[in-house]
Amino acid sequence: MDTSRTSHPGRVGTVERSESEVIASFATWASGTGPLYRRLADGIRKAVEGGALLPGQRLPAERQLAGVLRISRTTVVAAYEALRDVGLIESRRGSGTRITAHARARRTHTDGRVPGGMGASIYQHLIDGPEDLISLARSSEGAVPELVTAFRDLAGSDLAAAFDEPGYHPGGLPELREAIAAHLTGTGLPTTADQVLVTTGAHQALVLVAELYLRPGGTALAESPSWPCCLDVFRARGTGIVTVPIDEEGPDAVALAAALAARRPDLIYLMPTFHNPTGVLTSAARRRRIGELAARHEVPILEDNAYTGSLHLGESPRPLAAYAPRGAEVLSAGSLAKVVWAGLRTGWVRGPVEIIERLARRKALADLGSPVIDQMLAARLLPELPRIQAARVPVREQRLHHIEKLLRTRLPSWRWRRPDGGGGLWIELPGVDATEFSHVALRHGVEVVPGSMTDLTGAHDRFMRLAFTFGEDVLDSLVDRLARAWAEIGRRAPAATDRERVIV
Amino acid sequence: MDTSRTSHPGRVGTVERSESEVIASFATWASGTGPLYRRLADGIRKAVEGGALLPGQRLPAERQLAGVLRISRTTVVAAYEALRDVGLIESRRGSGTRITAHARARRTHTDGRVPGGMGASIYQHLIDGPEDLISLARSSEGAVPELVTAFRDLAGSDLAAAFDEPGYHPGGLPELREAIAAHLTGTGLPTTADQVLVTTGAHQALVLVAELYLRPGGTALAESPSWPCCLDVFRARGTGIVTVPIDEEGPDAVALAAALAARRPDLIYLMPTFHNPTGVLTSAARRRRIGELAARHEVPILEDNAYTGSLHLGESPRPLAAYAPRGAEVLSAGSLAKVVWAGLRTGWVRGPVEIIERLARRKALADLGSPVIDQMLAARLLPELPRIQAARVPVREQRLHHIEKLLRTRLPSWRWRRPDGGGGLWIELPGVDATEFSHVALRHGVEVVPGSMTDLTGAHDRFMRLAFTFGEDVLDSLVDRLARAWAEIGRRAPAATDRERVIV
């Protein structure tokens, strides 16, 4: 969706962006090297060249930008000065500082970002690569050794025969659809192969479902907080988002009932196993209740179980679809990213046969089908998945214990609830806005996902997501950098035990 | 884009579809087994279940449908009767035959097809698989043996180290971006790695470019004829399409100049090497002229070179981007599908750095990046590409000669121009509408792409695309089926030499 208005039909859009969107467009500025003013100037220049900042766009006042980025005003002054020297910005009394009219702009209708989206800086980091940064925006690791074994097994098979077909499978390689169906059946959700569509990661499953169910001006219902990149997928359709809070058992059923009654949304988007960023596992009772509510209001559910098996500190309920009454329309997205390797980019969505057929049409339109070799490997690995997951649990538990110990020692004022699963801690910062902290942390080499990106209501502005899916040496370095950033932010934490706290 | 209007806000759309859209929704009905009336009834039932035909939709009158499908009226009567029996359709005097109101419909806003799209039946065949059909909708083969070698080489390398990274590369695996840049530089188009975005096939490159440049109500300019699935990508954005004819040197430059002056489109979409479906190679002089025109009118070009190297009967000019003057904005899409294997799903788009960066953002939003293993294989194969292409030319020439000989013997009234490259013949049927012939051919086990799907103006209604990228045994069987279908169509061809003919 391109929702930009253009001042001259057929010319470049000149929508004025909000201050937070402007700052988000060069949010990764601090991760480079060299003097701070030069890094800031480079970040703004790149945002202009990439089309994120258009000619005529107003920049924040120097004092204001210095406050938000937690840098000295002198640094901002020097950066603006450097940009004025090369003619990229101009400052006028009364109208502030703006991108100059002749700054290079290509004639595309969008810079590729989702208007109003919150995930832009996370996406940008995936594109730019990590540099020296420890990025907490993703919680994925290298591949499990079983992938190497599967690859070598496949290499020893009759590859010439296996590759002797045209190679287009928009619905998915038949053997993989079968393997996914068998796997889901094994988790307590009886599934046939024609109920499964293979996607390029669970992310693409979200995209295809959004294309089918969402429309400009419509509404999606999500949890608060939720994951910014997923919400961006819905926003990209021009769809509004309403949220319900979650507690330790999952999405609040009373709030959900009220939201469904007040404004029937087009889709309910949930992460029951496990919720990102909080790590909450939705209970069986809550799953049943949510399924009933959705069926009564005739609203389809998309359950995103991309984190299933990523950590497993207890018994997991079946997928939400297994608890929903007849008549409820539940789509279940999953992925091998967190259990085998994200680089396989193998995900799926499971649902009613006729919906899967429609989704396959969108998949064909999107890319004519995912690559075949990864699907062959995935089909070989799926029967082993329970064993692969079980083998990884001790490693991940160890990492969780390690970071918890480090944090208790180095950052004793921070608070979190131990996650039921997933790859991150949901940290509450005592008395500090997490967005402000994220700017400081970036300069210390850590990319933090602040709560404000996960929740537009402001209820989680003091929270941030801390991924712990790293080796112990990286975790040591991570907590050390965070502790130094925390020292720099220079505030004393209030006594956390005295305050009422939001748990998730 | 969902352009359907809904009669009740928030309820299922009830847009009345045109007769040709209705028939297209069950276009593959004849490819099953069993009596014809049962196949037709099944085809219509599936179209209803899949959401392609909505409650209240009017079906063609029996006589009309029999005429279009070239079957007896009795067959249609029997099929409608069977559907009435199960309550799926109802017939009323005065309002004809319609899908019943209570026919199952899911609450999605679209059936996954592109409104007004022409490629639906081609996509559907990719989803359903070939069955016993010889599909001429695609011209791809099994993998080259070099892929097996590359796979086994990779299996022998240090895979554990290669897979020890998070696996997200929205821009493409760095080593593959380098390899594509080196390859393009070798074809006479100097390219750096940051000018390259890796995509899931050239098809996804089209999708991402369309997302960046096209908007509802805008215009794309394409050749007439063009490829229906590519045009559907543009239509899916809500964009209108204007066309210019092509001749033996490529797109008509005079018509292009007039079209650019009359209505500046948002994007020019061309297939210079080689054009699908005609097999025309755009000459160097024409490339230069087109580049000049696009630069003068400031309209970007997307050149789709997915068929480069697929057949090679002479020297090829450099990519169009190499002839364009400074200031012209040319994006060049390519793929390994036709030269290595479509199952790799490895494509790319090359363009200005700042546009590639924007496209990478759309790629991240679409699927967070393509699978890594296929990219590793592609990076190994790209340096060998000229050799792989050259090794395949004799095989393909042999197939071309073989089908030409068969056609001259069995179907002497058919006419075609020998293609410069690509995988198909563009056949003119003497005195017969190719859409009508396609219905007959389908019953004889051949899926034909009729000219009407490639050109909305009607100028190519007597043409059809005949892929020849099959082994000789399949080609024998193919021409045999076509000859039997041609006999059934029961018309005598007019003396072709007496008539003025459109060459392409």
Side-chain angles (χ1 to χ4, degrees):
Chain A
M1 280 309 306
D2 180 0
T3 59
S4 64
R5 290 147 295 171
T6 53
S7 52
H8 308 291
R11 308 301 289 178
V12 170
T14 53
V15 176
E16 189 79 7
R17 306 217 163 179
S18 72
E19 184 188 297
S20 64
E21 280 182 294
V22 167
I23 296 173
S25 74
F26 51 87
T28 59
W29 68 277
S31 59
T33 53
L36 276 186
Y37 88 91
R38 173 51 53 206
R39 289 192 232 172
L40 179 58
D42 280 351
I44 295 172
R45 180 181 53 76
K46 279 182 160 181
V48 173
E49 287 172 358
L53 294 179
L54 298 172
Q57 171 67 52
R58 190 185 190 130
L59 295 180
E62 290 155 356
R63 188 185 306 272
Q64 212 165 359
L65 187 57
V68 174
L69 299 182
R70 293 254 170 178
I71 51 182
S72 77
R73 195 176 161 217
T74 326
T75 304
V76 180
V77 169
Y80 279 13
E81 186 65 35
L83 292 169
R84 258 191 301 270
D85 280 355
V86 294
L88 209 73
I89 66 174
E90 58 191 353
S91 304
R92 283 188 199 171
R93 203 168 294 273
S95 87
T97 301
R98 293 182 182 273
I99 308 297
T100 50
H102 59 273
R104 176 76 164 286
R106 292 273 177 173
R107 196 176 154 263
T108 56
H109 293 282
T110 152
D111 66 355
R113 290 190 174 83
V114 176
M118 308 292 284
S121 68
I122 300 178
Y123 285 128
Q124 197 63 46
H125 264 303
L126 292 178
I127 294 166
D128 295 341
E131 299 167 12
D132 286 337
L133 215 60
I134 300 176
S135 172
L136 305 184
R138 59 181 177 220
S139 60
S140 75
E141 302 144 273
V144 294
E146 288 87 348
L147 178 62
V148 174
T149 309
F151 193 95
R152 297 212 164 110
D153 283 352
L154 185 57
S157 72
D158 186 354
L159 284 179
F163 297 168
D164 190 22
E165 53 99 10
Y168 294 106
H169 302 277
L173 199 65
E175 67 204 66
L176 178 56
R177 297 176 85 178
E178 292 285 354
I180 293 167
H183 169 72
L184 291 175
T185 301
T187 66
L189 180 63
T191 303
T192 53
D194 57 358
Q195 287 184 280
V196 174
L197 175 77
V198 177
T199 55
T200 301
H203 187 90
Q204 192 187 41
L206 267 57
V207 171
L208 300 176
V209 170
E211 288 182 352
L212 212 61
Y213 285 89
L214 302 182
R215 57 195 161 76
T219 308
L221 186 146
E223 291 148 322
S224 163
S226 188
W227 190 241
C229 292
C230 303
L231 299 183
D232 273 13
V233 167
F234 307 140
R235 287 195 188 97
R237 297 286 298 162
T239 295
I241 292 165
V242 295
T243 58
V244 294
I246 70 173
D247 58 33
E248 304 211 3
E249 274 199 64
D252 184 321
V254 176
L256 179 64
L260 292 174
R263 180 176 181 176
R264 190 173 136 188
D266 300 302
L267 185 69
I268 301 170
Y269 172 69
L270 304 173
M271 291 180 272
T273 315
F274 298 92
H275 180 264
N276 188 15
T278 64
V280 166
L281 175 69
T282 300
S283 70
R286 193 65 64 83
R287 285 168 198 243
R288 186 169 289 113
R289 182 80 187 112
I290 291 168
E292 287 164 1
L293 284 170
R296 184 186 313 154
H297 291 274
E298 295 183 22
V299 177
I301 296 176
L302 169 59
E303 62 167 327
D304 177 357
N305 292 325
Y307 279 87
T308 298
S310 59
L311 184 73
H312 180 78
L313 300 176
E315 196 66 22
S316 282
R318 292 169 289 154
L320 198 152
Y323 294 91
R326 269 186 85 83
E329 189 166 314
V330 183
L331 298 162
S332 309
S335 165
L336 294 181
K338 314 299 177 196
V339 183
V340 175
W341 190 34
L344 266 189
R345 310 293 314 112
T346 300
W348 58 80
V349 54
R350 180 261 189 208
V353 172
E354 60 271 37
I355 299 297
I356 292 301
E357 187 162 328
R358 297 182 194 201
L359 288 169
R361 292 190 195 124
R362 296 305 309 194
K363 171 69 176 166
L365 186 69
D367 57 23
L368 302 177
S370 292
V372 172
I373 289 171
D374 317 84
Q375 297 189 61
M376 291 176 173
L377 292 167
R380 283 165 179 257
L381 288 164
L382 266 158
E384 295 185 66
L385 210 55
R387 198 183 55 69
I388 296 173
Q389 287 174 5
R392 275 196 136 176
V393 169
V395 178
R396 291 183 162 169
E397 282 189 282
Q398 177 54 35
R399 288 174 177 181
L400 173 60
H401 292 312
H402 189 71
I403 195 170
E404 286 190 315
K405 203 176 82 184
L406 289 171
L407 288 173
R408 277 194 297 265
T409 309
R410 299 288 306 274
L411 292 153
S413 65
W414 289 14
R415 291 290 175 269
W416 63 91
R417 171 186 174 276
R418 171 166 280 201
D420 302 314
L425 297 180
W426 186 231
I427 304 266
E428 185 184 9
L429 298 177
V432 168
D433 182 286
T435 304
E436 288 185 25
F437 180 64
S438 74
H439 293 300
V440 179
L442 198 60
R443 291 208 304 280
H444 287 273
V446 179
E447 188 192 21
V448 151
V449 177
S452 60
M453 283 172 64
T454 70
D455 181 354
L456 283 171
T457 68
H460 294 92
D461 281 358
R462 286 190 187 167
F463 286 77
M464 66 172 200
R465 181 173 188 273
L466 196 54
F468 59 82
T469 53
F470 301 98
E472 294 197 1
D473 50 340
V474 177
L475 292 179
D476 292 343
S477 164
L478 166 65
V479 175
D480 186 57
R481 294 181 190 192
L482 289 171
R484 283 188 283 115
W486 187 248
E488 185 186 322
I489 203 124
R491 289 208 193 167
R492 236 173 307 276
T497 44
D498 300 338
R499 297 174 49 240
E500 190 185 43
R501 289 193 294 119
V502 184
I503 293 292
V504 290
Chain B
M1 277 309 304
D2 181 1
T3 59
S4 63
R5 290 148 295 172
T6 52
S7 52
H8 309 289
R11 310 297 292 176
V12 170
T14 53
V15 176
E16 190 78 8
R17 306 216 163 179
S18 73
E19 185 187 295
S20 65
E21 279 182 294
V22 167
I23 295 173
S25 75
F26 51 87
T28 60
W29 68 277
S31 59
T33 54
L36 276 185
Y37 88 91
R38 172 53 50 207
R39 290 192 234 172
L40 179 57
D42 279 351
I44 295 172
R45 178 180 53 75
K46 278 182 160 180
V48 174
E49 288 173 358
L53 295 179
L54 297 173
Q57 171 67 50
R58 190 185 190 128
L59 295 180
E62 290 156 355
R63 188 185 307 273
Q64 213 167 358
L65 187 56
V68 174
L69 298 182
R70 292 256 171 177
I71 52 182
S72 77
R73 197 178 159 215
T74 326
T75 303
V76 181
V77 169
Y80 279 12
E81 185 66 36
L83 291 169
R84 259 191 300 271
D85 281 355
V86 295
L88 209 73
I89 66 173
E90 60 192 351
S91 303
R92 283 188 198 170
R93 203 170 295 273
S95 87
T97 300
R98 293 182 182 273
I99 309 297
T100 50
H102 58 274
R104 177 76 165 284
R106 292 274 177 174
R107 194 174 158 264
T108 56
H109 293 281
T110 152
D111 67 356
R113 289 190 175 83
V114 177
M118 309 293 282
S121 68
I122 300 178
Y123 285 128
Q124 196 63 46
H125 264 302
L126 292 179
I127 294 167
D128 295 342
E131 299 168 12
D132 287 337
L133 215 61
I134 300 178
S135 173
L136 306 184
R138 58 179 177 222
S139 60
S140 74
E141 302 146 273
V144 294
E146 288 86 349
L147 177 62
V148 174
T149 310
F151 192 95
R152 296 213 164 110
D153 283 352
L154 185 57
S157 72
D158 186 354
L159 285 179
F163 296 168
D164 190 23
E165 54 101 9
Y168 295 106
H169 302 277
L173 199 65
E175 67 203 64
L176 178 56
R177 298 177 83 178
E178 292 284 355
I180 293 167
H183 170 71
L184 292 174
T185 302
T187 67
L189 180 62
T191 303
T192 53
D194 57 358
Q195 288 183 281
V196 173
L197 176 77
V198 177
T199 55
T200 300
H203 186 90
Q204 192 186 42
L206 268 57
V207 171
L208 300 176
V209 169
E211 287 182 352
L212 210 62
Y213 285 89
L214 302 182
R215 56 194 160 79
T219 308
L221 187 146
E223 291 147 321
S224 162
S226 189
W227 191 240
C229 292
C230 302
L231 299 183
D232 273 12
V233 168
F234 307 142
R235 287 195 188 97
R237 296 286 299 162
T239 295
I241 293 165
V242 297
T243 59
V244 295
I246 70 171
D247 59 32
E248 303 210 5
E249 274 199 65
D252 184 322
V254 176
L256 180 63
L260 291 176
R263 180 176 180 177
R264 188 174 139 189
D266 300 303
L267 185 70
I268 300 170
Y269 172 69
L270 304 174
M271 291 179 273
T273 317
F274 299 91
H275 180 263
N276 188 15
T278 66
V280 166
L281 176 68
T282 299
S283 70
R286 193 67 61 84
R287 286 169 197 241
R288 186 169 289 114
R289 181 82 187 108
I290 291 168
E292 288 164 1
L293 284 170
R296 184 185 314 154
H297 292 274
E298 295 182 23
V299 177
I301 296 176
L302 169 59
E303 63 167 325
D304 177 357
N305 292 325
Y307 280 87
T308 298
S310 59
L311 185 74
H312 180 81
L313 301 175
E315 196 67 21
S316 283
R318 291 169 290 154
L320 199 151
Y323 295 90
R326 269 186 84 84
E329 188 165 314
V330 183
L331 298 162
S332 309
S335 166
L336 295 181
K338 316 298 179 197
V339 183
V340 175
W341 190 33
L344 266 189
R345 311 295 312 111
T346 301
W348 59 81
V349 55
R350 181 262 189 208
V353 173
E354 59 271 37
I355 299 297
I356 293 301
E357 186 162 329
R358 296 182 195 201
L359 288 169
R361 293 188 195 126
R362 296 305 309 194
K363 173 68 176 167
L365 187 68
D367 57 23
L368 302 177
S370 291
V372 172
I373 290 172
D374 316 85
Q375 297 189 63
M376 290 176 173
L377 292 167
R380 283 165 178 256
L381 287 163
L382 266 157
E384 295 185 65
L385 210 56
R387 197 183 56 69
I388 295 173
Q389 287 175 6
R392 274 195 136 175
V393 169
V395 178
R396 292 184 160 168
E397 282 189 282
Q398 177 54 35
R399 289 175 177 180
L400 173 60
H401 293 313
H402 189 73
I403 196 170
E404 287 190 314
K405 205 175 82 183
L406 289 171
L407 289 173
R408 279 194 295 266
T409 310
R410 300 287 306 275
L411 291 154
S413 65
W414 289 13
R415 291 290 175 270
W416 63 92
R417 170 186 175 277
R418 171 166 281 203
D420 302 314
L425 297 179
W426 186 231
I427 305 267
E428 185 184 9
L429 299 177
V432 167
D433 181 285
T435 303
E436 289 185 25
F437 180 65
S438 73
H439 293 299
V440 179
L442 198 59
R443 292 208 302 281
H444 287 273
V446 180
E447 187 192 22
V448 152
V449 177
S452 61
M453 281 172 65
T454 69
D455 181 354
L456 282 171
T457 70
H460 293 93
D461 282 357
R462 286 189 186 167
F463 286 76
M464 65 173 200
R465 181 172 189 274
L466 197 54
F468 58 82
T469 52
F470 301 99
E472 295 198 0
D473 51 340
V474 178
L475 291 178
D476 291 343
S477 165
L478 166 65
V479 175
D480 187 58
R481 293 180 191 192
L482 289 171
R484 284 189 282 116
W486 187 247
E488 186 188 319
I489 202 126
R491 287 208 193 167
R492 238 171 307 275
T497 46
D498 299 340
R499 298 172 49 240
E500 190 185 41
R501 290 191 295 120
V502 185
I503 293 292
V504 289

